[in-house]
Amino acid sequence: MVKLAIIYYSATGTNYQMAKWAEEAGKEAGAEVKVRKVQELAPKEAIESNPAWKKNVEETKDVPVASSDDVEWADAILFSTATRFGGYASQMKQFLDTQGGLWAKGALVNKTVSAMSSAQNEHGGQEASILSFYTSLMHWGAIIIPPGYSDPVLFTTGGNPYGASATVDQDGNFTKDIQPAVSVQTKRLIEITKKIIAK
Amino acid sequence: MVKLAIIYYSATGTNYQMAKWAEEAGKEAGAEVKVRKVQELAPKEAIESNPAWKKNVEETKDVPVASSDDVEWADAILFSTATRFGGYASQMKQFLDTQGGLWAKGALVNKTVSAMSSAQNEHGGQEASILSFYTSLMHWGAIIIPPGYSDPVLFTTGGNPYGASATVDQDGNFTKDIQPAVSVQTKRLIEITKKIIAK
Amino acid sequence: MVKLAIIYYSATGTNYQMAKWAEEAGKEAGAEVKVRKVQELAPKEAIESNPAWKKNVEETKDVPVASSDDVEWADAILFSTATRFGGYASQMKQFLDTQGGLWAKGALVNKTVSAMSSAQNEHGGQEASILSFYTSLMHWGAIIIPPGYSDPVLFTTGGNPYGASATVDQDGNFTKDIQPAVSVQTKRLIEITKKIIAK
Amino acid sequence: MVKLAIIYYSATGTNYQMAKWAEEAGKEAGAEVKVRKVQELAPKEAIESNPAWKKNVEETKDVPVASSDDVEWADAILFSTATRFGGYASQMKQFLDTQGGLWAKGALVNKTVSAMSSAQNEHGGQEASILSFYTSLMHWGAIIIPPGYSDPVLFTTGGNPYGASATVDQDGNFTKDIQPAVSVQTKRLIEITKKIIAK
């Protein structure tokens, strides 16, 4: 049984929603799934001053915070984060950077990984953010499993070959239904991981 | 007077259209403008078998082919190309790669540059292609002038901060009016170049 | 038995040497190996005017030219190319770009891939070139298998986690022995591919 | 007079040293220079447990922490950071991400920027980290001024066209004298900025 960790950062809920869709797909594909949020770095005042952010923090207060144990436990990891200036968010960067202990003992090698992103503009860094994930994960010795155009449904969800990516409007609504893309990507990650971990 | 070379590769006409919009904007901004297509690499049969490609080749037969002289002449260069698997097209790569002579004599240093792209999927490599241009142009010693979010109109044209990018449907139609983005990017390139070349 | 295609572009012999090292490692790991050079795009005069280039073309005249059949045949593909302005060489770009036929019928999905590069400066695009390969191959739906730091020997060969990379001096000599890095990367590609293609 | 902010993150001193070399070069070129470190995110215990890190924190305790005011003040910004898994360090990412206020009011547009990096392996992300900076800074609307091969001395310092980059051994010693590269890059940034801000 594939162990899948879905590790996300979400300020106002978009990537949390994507993580939930991935969780559903992961379970359908027969994986054991953990959903984890990374530690917030923003000060309380920043969060309090933004109603959507505050609401999401409250709604996800029971989601466990991601730890090195989760990374070590997982066979496969699906990352999801909002874009921040064309890279994955600093909260996520902080999480990845602090896995040096696992790295030093070789515990990150052969993890299978895939990544998703979101932005407020259609071309606001969705591609670049996912690519920045993969560059980092290559340092881990991870095996990168992007969706490509491996399923026809991907042509209807924005066609991002690097990973599912959402565009959200000013009110935080998805401009397109990307759940099918999240699902295809997650299931593909599980299927290939199954083969890699088979005895 | 800024000398602007617009160097493009276009199979079925999208990037030729973008080059024309840029030419118009460049002239409005007071630049001396040359529009150049890069040498085609595809065999005649490939072109003949695709009506849209054939039509565009015929319509643009009088556009001069880009040469090293054009690069050397220019103060500013705006590149435009269709995405091919997340990079700029091989026809364009061939053109850039063969500027080694200019590179060796330092003639590429301080060129100001900007780039545009197009793809058939919304997230089909528009960002990645433009970024791949800039990586190459950094080897030239070029000064990179992407649009960022320097003008509010960019929020209505897809919001690609690296450069104007088009999504075209199966019939080759633009899914969005990106002419304002092309115009803003071109004029910004001219304005900053003006300052850099001023005595 | 894993079918491994090693597809390279080499002007003056560096990447041909790397391909040969990879071939040796691939065979040791029990793969069926094909070594293929991509079609040259440079005019005859350019090659004739550079003795090292001319010599390499002559020495490798019996290496078959890579075709779509080789790509379709392969389970795993290892790419190797000199850097050209921070991207993989235009000859290689032309080869990749022209695999659109295989792409359209889904024949590129799940290929396992890895890439290597070389440059004349220590930081002359070795990293960027390999990353540009992976961006393109994500469009194929490929599974990316970079070496990371999966073996201690990689710390002695320059430690490029994206792929083995060579620095060559003005006379075309490797400044460092990177054969161990090529070997580790190739064998890792084979081992993981074995699992993925297992029934 | 060009206002230059040098904003760095340094755990064990490498990038602090590079910042100091840049400061010297900036002053020689006639700029008004501020050197700023970004806020540390690591817990005290992590720092205390690493003698080199602790020593550097103590030695740089009087360097002011970078703020949005410094960014707004500057005409030109030179960034320097250690590589963390092929990207700029999370401390720096946190700093950049939190400039959203300046971004929203358009105060980041037309900043001229350049970046430097360091790693423990020769090809351990030096290129990728600098490129990740530039991707982010394109979102700012910045003008990117990498060194390219604009000066012959760059061929002796590793030849990184994206920015000066250091390789440091296990004891934190530079494996190569890169001060000339830092100097060339800084002076070039100043010279071009001078023209851009001229009335």
Side-chain angles (χ1 to χ4, degrees), chain C residues 165-186:
Chain C
S165 66
T167 306
V168 290
D169 64 21
Q170 297 287 346
D171 302 318
N173 299 313
F174 288 80
T175 60
K176 190 168 279 202
D177 177 16
I178 64 147
Q179 182 172 6
V182 174
S183 183
V184 162
Q185 180 174 3
T186 307

Side-chain angles (χ1 to χ4, degrees), chain D residues 83-151:
Chain D
T83 298
R84 291 287 183 272
F85 294 137
Y88 53 91
S90 58
Q91 289 86 345
M92 184 62 85
K93 186 86 178 81
Q94 170 74 350
F95 180 72
L96 265 70
D97 283 9
T98 51
Q99 304 313 313
L102 291 183
W103 180 86
K105 64 176 185 174
L108 299 172
V109 174
N110 288 352
K111 299 285 178 191
T112 55
V113 299
S114 205
M116 312 190 290
S117 72
S118 71
Q120 286 198 321
N121 289 287
E122 198 175 300
H123 306 294
Q126 282 96 331
E127 297 181 14
S129 294
I130 296 177
L131 290 170
S132 74
F133 259 119
Y134 294 147
T135 299
S136 291
L137 297 165
M138 288 179 198
H139 286 250
W140 284 21
I143 298 166
I144 318 288
I145 306 179
Y149 295 97
S150 58
D151 188 295

Side-chain angles (χ1 to χ4, degrees), chain B residues 82-103:
Chain B
T83 298
R84 292 286 183 271
F85 295 136
Y88 51 91
S90 57
Q91 288 86 347
M92 184 62 85
K93 185 87 179 80
Q94 170 74 349
F95 180 72
L96 265 70
D97 283 9
T98 51
Q99 304 313 313
L102 291 183
W103 180 86

Side-chain angles (χ1 to χ4, degrees), chain B residues 110 138-139 141 144 148 162 188, chain D residues 110 138-139 141 144 148 162 188:
Chain B
N110 288 351
M138 289 179 198
H139 285 250
I144 319 288
Y162 316 123
R188 176 171 154 80
Chain D
N110 288 352
M138 288 179 198
H139 286 250
I144 318 288
Y162 316 123
R188 175 170 154 79

Side-chain angles (χ1 to χ4, degrees), chain A residues 103 109-110 131 134-135 138-139 141-146 148-150 155 161-162 188 192 195-196, chain C residues 103 109-110 131 134-135 138-139 141-146 148-150 155 161-162 188 192 195-196:
Chain A
W103 179 86
V109 174
N110 288 352
L131 290 170
Y134 294 148
T135 299
M138 289 180 197
H139 286 249
I143 297 165
I144 318 288
I145 306 179
Y149 295 97
S150 57
F155 293 104
Y162 315 123
R188 176 171 152 80
I192 293 166
K195 297 179 178 185
I196 291 173
Chain C
W103 180 86
V109 174
N110 288 352
L131 290 170
Y134 294 148
T135 298
M138 288 179 199
H139 285 249
I143 297 165
I144 318 288
I145 306 179
Y149 294 97
S150 57
F155 293 104
Y162 315 123
R188 177 172 153 78
I192 293 167
K195 295 178 179 186
I196 291 173

